[in-house]
Structure formats: structure tokens, C-alpha cells
Amino acid sequence: MRNTIASCIIEVAKKDSNVFLISGDAGLGVWDSFKEEYKDQYINPGINESLCVSMASGLAMQGKKAIYYNIAPFVIMRPYEQVRLDICYQELPVILVGTGSGLTYMPSGMTHYALEDIGLALSMPNLDIFSPCDPLEVRACFEYAYKSNKPSYIRIPKAGEPNLHNGEIADISKLQFLLQNNSEILILSHSSISQEALKAGEILGCDVATKPFINSFEFNLEAYKYIFVVEEHFSYGGLGTFLKNYTNAKIEILAVSNKYVHLIGNCEYGREYFGIDSKGIVKSIKERL
């Protein structure tokens, strides 16, 4: 997904000289060609997150389309105040791109986890939040954000995720179904953990969908008797919490407890540990039905 969003950014920069990419000393290698071909539209201020965000807001105030790219904790967590006041308060159309969502950077330890970023983002008014599950959703999310006049936060894993959808996404604001079995059970997910949700849905024979536009209100869940929201995020503060506030549907959340995580390992190990791999999802759903 990282390469897909890089391609999207390069495509708009080629056509639109108002596009500026700010990289907080991240994406080394990803932006090599961009730095050469669009050097007047590329800024790397180094490891200086607050400055990066404020610089993006300043560019936006001058009519530019600024994109700030970095590892997720350094996009939405460390410069929280600058995102809150410089971008969201003024409702500037800056695109924040955070890589390494969820447990992606688990080998680097707690400082690089992004398990509460949606909760923080949801606390800021005016901010559209996107958590795509595959490269097709990434492209649709970025195109929406690029055309939008509002601030956007797009969180993605690192790289190499396969397409889960069969074709282009027509409307990213709606639920995106991966599996439909006319079931009374829906597994709803976002980001790359949707791969595990889909495997679980195939085993259980239920419906599976993603909600890449986290705080979009284009959804109707009333038809389902059971809804399980699977998230590689803290259980409180993510998509499940958002939906519970805006629907009367019965929702169970399968996610990571809101506690500091001290595990070191790969992403697959973490998912199994927290019971959000396909086996864990199947087990939890069977126990709760």
C-alpha cells in the first residue's frame, strides 16, 4: 500500500505544481525519484514533526496542496497540538499520511506502534480519517482526500499487502463488501487486518465488509443481528467505538486492550497473541453467539 500511495502522490504532483510533499526524514528510497523529478515540490525538514505539520498548514494557507508523510506515531501523536490547531481548527485541506498502522512496526517496539491513532484522530473535529485495507482502497482514499477541502488522515501499513477487492472502489464513503453470504452476521474491519477478517468470514460463512472511511456516516447496519468489528487498534477509541455512538445495532469489538504493549515480534505474532488472527476471530465469534 505504501508504493500505491507513493504512485498516487507522484501522479498528482506531475499534473499539479501546487502539490507539495513534506517527508519527516521518512520514506527513504520511496521518494528517490520524486526528489529528483519534483525537487521544487519536495521538502524534508528532518526529524521535526511539529515543524512539518505547521509547514504543511502554512503551505495550505497559501493555496497549496500539502501532503505530510511519516510513520504514523510521528504524524498524528507527537505533533498532536499542531494537527489540532494549525490544521483541523482552521479546516485546511492538508493530507496527513501515516505509515505503519497498528502492529506493522511491532519489531521496533512500543514507540512505533499505532494502536491509538484513530482514537486521537476522532477527537479532532473536521478531520476525515481513512484506514484502507488494500491498494485499491488506498487509491480511492487518496483521490477523495486530494479533491477534498477538509483535512485528511490516511493510515496505511508498510508494504506488500494484496488486493482484497476485485475492482476499483466506486464510493469510498460507503461500506465495502468483501464477502456476501446473506448472513445475519457481519464482520466489519479496516486496514490490513481485513485479510484475517476475510479468512474468518470464509470459515464461518458470514458477510465481511470494510469501512475504510472511518468517520463517514454512509452506513446502515440495522439489517444484521450480530456485528463484530475487528481492529488492529485499541478496543476503545477506534471504528467500533465510533459506530456504537451512531447506530443502535449490536456491536462486539475484537481488538487490542487499551494497555501499553511490551511485546517485540512480527505482526503475525502480535495478531495471534491478541486473538485477532483468523483463528482467534473465529474462536471469539463462536463463543459470543
Side-chain angles (χ1 to χ4, degrees):
M1 283 194 246
R2 184 177 59 174
N3 291 340
T4 299
I5 206 161
S7 297
C8 292
I9 293 171
I10 291 169
E11 286 172 18
V12 295
K14 184 177 182 180
K15 300 174 185 174
D16 184 356
S17 61
N18 279 321
V19 170
F20 278 78
L21 172 64
I22 301 172
S23 170
D25 214 33
L28 304 178
V30 177
W31 304 117
D32 283 349
S33 62
F34 192 100
K35 285 188 288 187
E36 295 297 325
E37 296 178 36
Y38 309 102
K39 58 184 178 182
D40 293 334
Q41 295 166 255
Y42 177 79
I43 305 169
N44 181 1
I47 302 173
N48 197 333
E49 294 84 4
S50 302
L51 171 68
C52 290
V53 172
S54 294
M55 184 179 291
S57 69
L59 286 166
M61 292 183 73
Q62 296 302 312
K64 309 299 183 184
K65 192 71 177 184
I67 302 164
Y68 170 44
Y69 173 97
N70 208 334
I71 299 172
F74 311 128
V75 168
I76 203 79
M77 298 180 193
R78 182 170 291 174
Y80 177 88
E81 182 179 355
Q82 283 70 31
V83 174
R84 172 174 172 261
L85 295 179
D86 294 0
I87 294 177
C88 294
Y89 179 60
Q90 303 184 78
E91 204 167 349
L92 297 172
V94 172
I95 302 176
L96 304 168
V97 178
T99 63
S101 58
L103 298 167
T104 301
Y105 278 109
M106 192 171 167
S108 299
M110 180 62 203
T111 55
H112 283 56
Y113 287 4
L115 291 169
E116 65 271 66
D117 58 325
I118 292 176
L120 284 173
L122 282 171
S123 72
M124 287 185 272
N126 301 329
L127 182 61
D128 288 340
I129 306 162
F130 302 91
S131 183
C133 80
D134 73 354
L136 293 164
E137 286 192 0
V138 166
R139 180 168 288 278
C141 290
F142 182 81
E143 289 175 352
Y144 186 100
Y146 175 66
K147 295 175 183 175
S148 175
N149 290 320
K150 293 183 62 180
S152 303
Y153 171 53
I154 305 175
R155 69 192 299 270
I156 57 173
K158 191 175 179 182
E161 295 78 19
N163 282 335
L164 300 183
H165 292 285
N166 294 321
E168 292 184 2
I169 308 299
D171 185 352
I172 199 65
S173 67
K174 297 182 177 179
L175 298 185
Q176 310 296 323
F177 280 89
L178 296 171
L179 190 63
Q180 289 183 285
N181 287 311
N182 197 28
S183 172
E184 63 181 4
I185 305 169
L186 172 67
I187 302 177
L188 189 55
S189 189
H190 59 89
S191 193
S192 60
I193 195 68
S194 299
Q195 298 172 45
E196 302 294 334
L198 179 57
K199 290 177 188 175
E202 290 170 343
I203 293 170
L204 295 168
C206 53
D207 290 1
V208 179
T210 65
K211 192 173 188 302
F213 192 159
I214 296 292
N215 52 346
S216 162
F217 288 91
E218 293 292 327
F219 61 88
N220 183 0
L221 301 173
E222 308 300 330
Y224 288 98
K225 185 175 182 180
Y226 304 100
I227 299 166
F228 294 90
V229 176
V230 176
E231 299 186 77
E232 198 171 283
H233 188 273
F234 279 163
S235 56
Y236 182 81
L239 172 62
T241 302
F242 174 81
L243 292 175
K244 282 188 172 185
N245 283 328
Y246 296 106
T247 179
N248 293 321
K250 182 181 179 182
I251 293 173
E252 297 272 357
I253 301 173
L254 308 180
V256 180
S257 298
N258 288 52
K259 296 178 181 178
Y260 288 113
V261 180
H262 302 290
L263 294 179
I264 301 292
N266 60 30
C267 185
E268 289 72 24
Y269 166 68
R271 289 175 177 177
E272 181 179 0
Y273 181 89
F274 293 114
I276 52 175
D277 63 339
S278 59
K279 290 181 180 178
I281 295 168
V282 169
K283 181 175 181 292
S284 294
I285 291 177
K286 285 183 175 178
E287 289 174 349
R288 300 184 190 198
L289 289 178

